[in-house]
Amino acid sequence: MAWMRAVTGRLESRQVYPVGVVYNTFPLPRNDADLSALDRLAQAVLDARAAPPAAILADLDNPDVTPVDLPRAHQALDRAVDHLCRPRKFASECERVEHLLALYERLRAPLTVSGEPQTRRMRVRRVRP
């Protein structure tokens, strides 16, 4: 969430989740074993969300109604992601974001030539009215 708040915008009072910005730019290590561990933890979050079949998203965000396993699954995933980024704990969200932005810059560095960012041509699909 710290990364999302740092790199995305807002619509009224809500965060906007542009998938290409939030998830495609998040600086994760590309070690298959580490990513497999994250896959298992992410699946545990999805399984905990699916446990109460009649629950809606608002129920899952309500601490009085949410299944006990859901916050635990989220915390385990958060700890694993933090540990992949840096073995020692972050003192604050600001420190976490600074560290993630530095990792992002390192991952991005091979994509630049002489300090100039490479540009990609975007295909724009025109929608007829």
Side-chain angles (χ1 to χ4, degrees), residues 8 10 14 18 20 26 46-47 51 61 64 100 112:
T8 66
R10 289 185 160 290
R14 301 167 301 206
F26 189 82
L46 295 175
D47 293 345
D61 288 338
D64 296 331
L100 290 172
T112 58

Side-chain angles (χ1 to χ4, degrees), residues 1 14 25 27 32 38 40 43-44 55 67 72 74-75 84 90 107 115 122:
M1 293 300 290
R14 301 167 301 206
T25 60
D32 289 340
L38 289 183
R40 286 190 303 278
Q43 187 60 53
R72 289 181 186 155
H74 273 290
Q75 290 166 358
L84 282 179
F90 294 101
L107 290 173
M122 292 179 60

Side-chain angles (χ1 to χ4, degrees), residues 41-124:
L41 291 167
Q43 187 60 53
V45 170
L46 295 175
D47 293 345
R49 282 181 170 267
I56 59 173
L57 194 55
D59 291 339
L60 297 175
D61 288 338
N62 181 344
D64 296 331
V65 182
T66 192
V68 175
D69 293 343
L70 184 57
R72 289 181 186 155
H74 273 290
Q75 290 166 358
L77 180 58
D78 291 346
R79 280 192 304 272
V81 169
D82 274 357
H83 186 72
L84 282 179
C85 293
R86 186 174 83 176
R88 74 174 198 269
K89 292 185 178 190
F90 294 101
S92 66
E93 184 171 304
C94 183
E95 184 182 18
R96 179 178 287 110
V97 170
E98 286 174 355
H99 185 76
L100 290 172
L101 288 172
L103 288 176
Y104 174 75
E105 283 298 316
R106 270 189 269 161
L107 290 173
R108 186 182 158 277
L111 302 177
T112 58
V113 177
S114 302
E116 294 294 322
Q118 292 181 354
T119 59
R120 293 187 303 180
R121 298 197 110 187
M122 292 179 60
R123 292 176 48 191
V124 177

